[in-house]
Amino acid sequence: MTGLAVILLIVGIVLLLLGVFVQTVQFLLYVGIILIVIGIIAWLMKFIRRQA
C-alpha cells in the first residue's frame, strides 16, 4: 500500500508539472491533481490505521 501511494504521488506530481508547462495537454493537470489527492488519502488512511 505504501509503495502504491508513493508511486501515485510521484506520477501525480510529474503529470501536474507537465500540465502546467504544456498548455496543449491541459487534461494532465487534472489527472495529476486527482492522483495527488488519491495518494494523500491513501497515506492518511495508513497513518490513521497505524495510530489506532
Side-chain angles (χ1 to χ4, degrees):
M1 186 69 169
T2 303
L4 180 63
V6 170
I7 291 171
L8 284 176
L9 282 172
I10 292 172
V11 170
I13 291 171
V14 168
L15 290 177
L16 181 67
L17 291 174
L18 280 175
V20 168
F21 292 124
V22 181
Q23 293 296 326
T24 58
V25 195
Q26 188 72 25
F27 74 94
L28 286 179
L29 178 67
Y30 300 114
V31 172
I33 290 171
I34 290 170
L35 288 177
I36 289 172
V37 169
I38 291 172
I40 290 172
I41 290 172
W43 178 80
L44 283 174
M45 288 177 59
K46 180 183 172 226
F47 181 76
I48 290 171
R49 287 183 184 167
R50 192 182 306 165
Q51 295 294 325

